[in-house]
Amino acid sequence: MADHTAPRGQGPRRASAAPGPYTIAAVLRAGGRAHPVTDRRPGARPPRRRDASGPRAASPLTVRDAGPEDHDAALALHRRCSRRTLAMRYQGPPDEADGYLPHLLSPHFGRTLAVQTAGGRLVALGHLLWDDDEAELALLVEDAWQRRGLGTDLVRRLLTTAAGMGYGSVYVVTRSLDAAMDATLRKAGVPLEYQVEGATLVVTAHLDERLTPATGPAGPR
């Protein structure tokens, strides 16, 4: 587990204490070699999933900062996520996911944004973790709320935060190509660089002046 207590410029690079399959830099790693590819084209919006069992799109949602006081609510979010979603997010056994929360929710290691329903339930978390002169982005969205624009909203907000702090790029690490995350990153409208090596994918998002502050409630995009 990496140590993120070091100030920028002195810490380890691309080694997160909280694995982030969802980070703004997606590195694809396949075949044992890294193959950087730059893609500056915004991707097409994927079709919205129609799921009668999911939450209604009209449900009021808000985005706010989250911290250690949200630990229990984040645990409840884990309980509502499928094992596959947790495995993709944490790149490891789903049963170990809870152990990462104290680190992720600590303001000492980064910034966390939560999407909250009117009833106070957390349905998504976005993390921006400090890592030397870069930052790592990680994202978790409850299964029933996926493909409704929440991830896109969180990514844009956190990219804007990173750009405002002077970061030139943000990266995401995943163990395999994730089409949904790729589409989410493309919607941010920033240049993306992909690298594939072994079973790991790393995508790096290069930040620029096109990022504008995101404000207001979360909702379908």
Side-chain angles (χ1 to χ4, degrees):
M1 184 173 292
D3 181 1
H4 288 268
T5 61
R8 287 177 54 187
Q10 300 181 21
R13 295 171 60 85
R14 297 199 187 286
S16 172
Y22 299 147
T23 308
I24 281 309
V27 175
L28 310 175
R29 306 191 176 196
R33 287 190 185 179
H35 302 287
V37 178
T38 299
D39 189 340
R40 299 176 180 272
R41 302 170 302 162
R45 182 189 299 265
R48 181 175 297 170
R49 182 178 60 188
R50 302 290 184 180
D51 185 352
S53 65
R56 298 175 58 184
S59 299
L61 300 172
T62 57
V63 178
R64 62 170 177 82
D65 284 291
E69 66 278 6
D70 294 296
H71 184 266
D72 289 347
L75 283 176
L77 168 60
H78 278 183
R79 299 295 176 269
R80 295 191 302 272
C81 288
S82 67
R83 293 181 64 83
R84 180 182 183 281
T85 290
L86 292 177
M88 288 291 292
R89 164 61 186 88
Y90 294 101
Q91 301 185 63
D95 295 338
E96 298 179 3
D98 293 354
Y100 292 113
L101 289 176
H103 178 97
L104 291 171
L105 294 172
S106 171
H108 185 66
F109 299 111
R111 183 189 185 193
T112 294
L113 292 180
V115 179
Q116 179 177 291
T117 67
R121 173 181 292 188
L122 300 189
V123 296
L125 290 172
H127 307 283
L128 187 66
L129 304 170
W130 321 139
D131 186 8
D132 201 358
D133 59 348
E134 293 182 304
E136 179 182 359
L137 188 149
L139 186 67
L140 176 67
V141 179
E142 184 178 334
D143 294 62
W145 288 87
Q146 292 175 10
R147 296 185 182 276
R148 296 173 184 272
L150 304 189
T152 299
D153 186 77
L154 288 175
V155 164
R156 286 173 174 162
R157 291 170 188 263
L158 292 174
L159 287 182
T160 300
T161 294
M165 295 180 65
Y167 286 101
S169 64
V170 179
Y171 69 91
V172 177
V173 180
T174 183
R175 60 180 175 180
S176 62
L177 180 61
D178 188 313
M181 188 58 190
D182 182 56
T184 298
L185 293 173
R186 287 174 180 268
K187 291 176 189 176
V190 297
L192 302 177
E193 182 178 313
Y194 297 79
Q195 289 184 315
V196 183
E197 187 175 288
T200 302
L201 164 68
V202 177
V203 179
T204 300
H206 297 281
L207 311 182
D208 59 23
E209 68 282 355
R210 284 175 289 182
L211 291 171
T212 57
T215 59
R221 296 292 186 270

